[in-house]
């Protein structure tokens, strides 16, 4: 493959990525050009996805496009003609895994020079990543970002026929692309994008730069997708967005927000509705009411708090305080009785003192979370927090994480125990990883439940009486 001048590539620019335009979002419909319809015939592909559910949904779109072009799924790396690494940039260790993976794949490329290797997702949206790939990872043929997945056919054609390296990353928002094909990875649970991007700019976070401005899909497109899923026999949808509570706030011609969407989706006949993720400061009454009234909206809420210290929350640009978060949480629990709430917490944000950390522990004690994802702060180049003074040694940050996790594990156990003796509804996912006599699935409150049963129950919602509560799962028997 011939290389062209590095400067001539369409590379990312974090400063541009920070800009937000006020114009209306352009909606484009995907259409595969006739010339691209058969270029994948006889060829196989493999997509390795890292990161959040948004990235998993993107991976399903890439698979959909490739299969329209004639590609078929590969058995493994050895058997692949095209490998796409769909990357995540959220923390340094997420990126380090991917650099390792890229290095490892070099050997496959040596064995099979026709193998096409592509880097996609959030990492290519970072300037330093594209520089590094161009300078040291010469075996990568194709680099594209989160805004131009729909151009995959064109890129593959160029890489295959012109034998040219393709690097094209757009830094400014991008519109909304509809009519994209998807190969869904699950038979009865589906991801449904309701919005893209994020305008929150939490000071530690790279996502507003990698995913562009907040833009909502039209309600009609979302409802049409869900009606189709119901027809195809899907049982559960998870609505996706970086901040689903901001859904519709960008509509200029109508007043239609997340609560309205939930109420409308509740009437589609889908058995279960979930969503990810919410920002506490955009969570409104309408959403809580829709959850209380909507029979198909699951009593589960992931509501990231990040810290319990008002000083740190301010430095993070989160727009709420410890007490106002707890007030919203209380209201949610009162409006939707029994709701399970989980959260995300970062320890060791620059300037976090022992007292700030104590505030976080205190918040966890008072919140009654059902669980949490916890992280040590990771410096992301280009974000404001990367420039903040940080004098806490990493070892102390790790100790804080350990202390926090002890509390969180106790919260998981308490969250499990509240279901002892109750009968819960479980959507059966499959057989347990550890015992093929045992089925595994999730309850309405998003608890993992294991029980003995026939594999014919996979894909169905069954009543299970809980007999044992463990920290990470529940055990039960069918009733
Ligand atoms: N949009 C979602 C998810 C963001 S990423 C939200 O706002 O909740 C998921 C989690 O990763 C965040 O909630 C945060 O806890 C964590 N995270 C994001 N950036 C991070 C960083 N630089 N260092 C450590 N954790 C981070
Ligand atoms: Fe990142 Fe904050 Fe946006 Fe979540 S809300 S994606 S943490 S900037
Ligand atoms: Fe990672 Fe991008 Fe999602 S950074 S968490 S894959 S939005």
């Amino acid at each position: 493959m011939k290389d062209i001048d590095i400067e001539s590539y369409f590379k990312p620019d974090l400063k541009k990525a920070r800009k937000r335009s006020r114009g209306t979002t352009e909606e484009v419909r995907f259409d595969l050009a006739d010339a691209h319809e058969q270029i994948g015939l006889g060829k196989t592909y493999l997509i390795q996805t890292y990161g959040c559910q948004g990235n998993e949904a993107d991976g399903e779109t890439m698979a959909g496009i490739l299969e329209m072009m004639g590609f078929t799924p590969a058995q493994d790396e050895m058997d692949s003609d095209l490998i796409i690494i769909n990357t995540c940039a959220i923390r340094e260790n997420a990126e380090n895994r991917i650099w390792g993976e890229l290095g490892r794949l070099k050997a496959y490329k040596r064995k099979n020079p026709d193998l096409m290797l592509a880097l996609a997702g959030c990492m290519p949206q970072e300037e330093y990543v594209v520089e590094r790939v161009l300078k040291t990872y010469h075996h990568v043929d194709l680099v594209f970002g989160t805004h131009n997945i729909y151009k995959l056919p064109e890129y593959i054609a160029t890489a295959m026929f012109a034998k040219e390296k393709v690097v094209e990353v757009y830094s400014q928002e991008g519109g909304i692309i509809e009519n994209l094909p998807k190969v869904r990875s699950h038979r009865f649970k589906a991801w449904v994008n309701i919005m893209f991007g994020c305008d929150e700019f939490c000071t530690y976070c790279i996502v507003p730069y990698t995913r562009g401005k907040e833009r909502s899909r039209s309600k009609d497109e979302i409802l049409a997708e869900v009606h189709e899923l119901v027809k195809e026999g899907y049982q559960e949808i998870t609505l996706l967005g970086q901040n689903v509570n901001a859904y519709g706030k960008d509509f200029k011609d109508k007043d239609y927000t997340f609560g309205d969407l939930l109420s409308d989706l509740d009437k589609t006949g889908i058995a279960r509705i979930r969503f990810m993720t919410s920002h506490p400061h955009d969570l409104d009454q309408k959403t809580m009411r829709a959850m209380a009234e909507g029979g198909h909206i699951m009593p589960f809420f992931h509501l990231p708090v990040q810290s319990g210290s008002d000083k740190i929350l301010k430095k993070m640009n989160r727009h709420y305080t410890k007490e106002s978060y707890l007030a919203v949480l209380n209201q949610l629990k009162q409006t939707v009785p029994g709701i399970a709430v989980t959260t995300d917490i970062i320890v060791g944000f620059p300037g976090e003192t022992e007292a700030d950390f104590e505030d976080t522990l205190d918040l966890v004690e008072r919140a009654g979370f059902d669980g949490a994802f916890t992280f040590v702060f990771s410096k992301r180049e280009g974000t404001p927090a990367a420039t903040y003074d940080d004098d806490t040694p990493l070892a102390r940050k790790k100790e804080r994480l350990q202390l926090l996790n002890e509390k969180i594990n106790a919260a998981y156990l308490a969250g499990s125990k509240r279901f002892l003796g109750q009968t819960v509804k479980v959507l059966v996912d499959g057989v347990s990883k550890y015992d093929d006599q045992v089925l595994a699935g999730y309850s309405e409150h998003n608890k993992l439940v294991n029980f003995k049963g026939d594999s014919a129950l996979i894909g169905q919602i069954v009543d299970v009486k809980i007999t044992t509560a463990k920290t990470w799962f529940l055990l039960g028997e069918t009733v």
Side-chain angles (χ1 to χ4, degrees), residues 50-55 87-90 121-122 146 206-207 210-211 242:
Y50 298 83
C52 63
Q53 292 88 344
N55 237 23
T87 63
C88 172
I90 200 81
C122 283
T146 57
I206 195 76
V207 173
T210 64
R211 293 274 166 175
Q242 293 301 335

Side-chain angles (χ1 to χ4, degrees), residues 239-391:
L239 310 175
L240 297 181
Q242 293 301 335
N243 173 13
V244 291
N245 294 107
Y247 174 79
K249 293 193 174 167
D250 55 323
F251 291 149
K252 299 212 162 55
D253 51 346
K254 53 182 169 293
D255 179 19
Y256 186 86
T257 55
F258 188 56
D260 301 308
L261 181 66
L262 282 180
S263 299
D264 282 341
L265 287 169
D266 191 50
K267 298 176 202 127
T268 57
I270 192 87
R272 291 180 156 199
I273 302 169
R274 300 187 184 279
F275 52 85
M276 283 247 146
T277 304
S278 300
H279 192 299
H281 114 103
D282 283 315
L283 171 54
D284 58 13
Q285 303 282 340
K286 212 193 242 176
T287 299
M288 295 192 212
R289 273 201 308 274
M291 291 190 78
E293 287 161 16
H296 302 290
I297 306 165
M298 294 296 101
F300 171 79
F301 214 106
H302 185 62
L303 194 63
V305 65
Q306 313 298 0
S307 169
S309 150
D310 289 349
K311 181 190 92 192
I312 296 297
L313 286 169
K314 193 154 200 255
K315 282 181 83 177
M316 288 176 160
N317 193 31
R318 291 289 292 182
H319 308 288
Y320 55 83
T321 61
K322 177 186 186 183
E323 294 305 325
S324 72
Y325 177 90
L326 287 168
V328 171
L329 182 63
N330 259 333
Q331 214 180 1
L332 185 60
K333 288 186 174 184
Q334 268 163 21
T335 317
V336 191
I339 191 169
V341 181
T342 58
T343 198
D344 289 348
I345 299 172
I346 298 175
V347 299
F349 186 82
E352 183 188 75
T353 61
E354 293 302 319
D356 295 320
F357 176 62
E358 289 295 328
D359 277 337
T360 298
L361 293 180
D362 180 61
L363 176 126
V364 170
E365 291 261 302
R366 289 168 59 195
F369 291 122
D370 275 72
F373 296 110
T374 55
F375 312 98
V376 171
F377 168 77
S378 171
K379 188 168 159 172
R380 306 315 297 140
E381 217 50 66
T383 65
T387 64
Y388 296 171
D389 285 339
D390 189 0
D391 51 14

Side-chain angles (χ1 to χ4, degrees), residues 69 108 243 369 415 447 472:
M69 296 169 71
Y108 288 94
N243 173 13
F369 291 122
K447 302 281 177 197
W472 310 114

